[in-house]
Amino acid sequence: MAGVTGKLTGVGVGPGDPELLTRRALRILGEADRVVAPTTSPDEPGRAETVVLEALPGLAVTRLPFDMSLRDVPRLDAARPLVPWLDAGEHVAFVTLGDPNVYSTFGAVARALEVLGCPVDVATVPGIMAFQELAARSGTVLVDGIEGLSLVTALDGVGHVAEALEDPTRAVIVYKGGRHVPAIARLLADRGRLDGAVVGELLGLPGERIAAVDPSAAAASYLVAVIVPPAGRRG
């Protein structure tokens, strides 16, 4: 319909516990014309969909198949199904674990809509991050005073982690490093940064694990976060 612009809202649903959905997220999900969720298979609910349906049983959710292994490519196949709905002026809510502006599939879909020439009003609803839940559950004070914080990915190895550890006054949060957890643990041991370091896997989801980072740590799943507090804090 000429002149009609739909609205696409990325809704962060937190790391896995439905109690961590915000009131704003619940309101937007209730108001949207359509709720969509990424999934690796159209026959299986994705994790974000599972979280949402625990909080809002009976909510209609449309699944968008996603190849999560692809990186740095336009998500045109995932975005195309949205085009007719947005062209019709619908408000589409896209649910994503964590926050839609941090390491999320949502940004790739929004960019793909631009490539497809679909005019759309884009908005986001912030979500609680896995590292915030991990800090709360492990009793870890992330930063205080003039301390800083670095959020890095270990998707390609521990290089970015090593760089972040150069500043002992910074807390370091590591995402997307499941298969590199053993290497991260060895790096922390070599740098004298094991004290207080904690790993959280599948937070709020089946198989959840929270533990101190140990040099004998095994590889973990993709949904893992590591917290390394600043070094040398005074009690």
Side-chain angles (χ1 to χ4, degrees), residues 44-119:
E44 298 290 337
R47 291 189 173 99
E49 177 185 347
T50 300
V51 174
V52 166
L53 291 181
E54 286 188 39
L56 296 171
L59 182 72
V61 177
T62 301
R63 294 171 185 163
L64 291 182
F66 244 85
D67 185 346
M68 300 298 182
S69 66
L70 296 178
R71 296 169 51 202
D72 302 324
V73 297
R75 299 289 188 163
L76 300 181
D77 288 344
R80 282 193 180 97
L82 304 180
V83 173
W85 306 325
L86 294 168
D87 280 347
E90 288 190 14
H91 179 189
V92 178
F94 182 107
V95 298
T96 178
L97 288 180
D99 184 278
N101 294 307
V102 182
Y103 296 134
S104 170
T105 53
F106 175 74
V109 170
R111 289 191 297 273
L113 288 170
E114 292 183 9
V115 173
L116 293 171
C118 178

Side-chain angles (χ1 to χ4, degrees), residues 200-222:
E201 181 180 9
L202 296 169
L203 295 172
L205 298 167
E208 174 186 273
R209 181 177 68 92
I210 297 175
V213 178
D214 186 277
S216 62
S221 67
Y222 180 76

Side-chain angles (χ1 to χ4, degrees), residues 115-205:
V115 173
L116 293 171
C118 178
V120 59
D121 179 15
V122 177
T124 56
V125 176
I128 292 173
M129 300 288 294
F131 77 83
Q132 294 171 300
E133 170 73 337
L134 179 57
R137 296 280 299 280
S138 62
T140 303
V141 176
L142 287 173
V143 286
D144 194 13
I146 60 171
E147 296 169 341
L149 183 148
S150 294
L151 174 61
V152 299
T153 173
L155 193 61
D156 294 328
V158 299
H160 295 301
V161 183
E163 291 177 10
L165 290 173
E166 292 294 332
D167 184 349
T169 70
R170 301 188 72 79
V172 179
I173 310 299
V174 187
Y175 267 24
K176 299 178 179 289
R179 63 193 177 97
H180 296 297
V181 165
I184 293 170
R186 291 191 297 269
L187 176 63
L188 296 182
D190 291 343
R191 298 290 182 90
R193 296 290 296 272
L194 279 175
D195 187 26
V198 61
V199 58
E201 181 180 9
L202 296 169
L203 295 172
L205 298 167

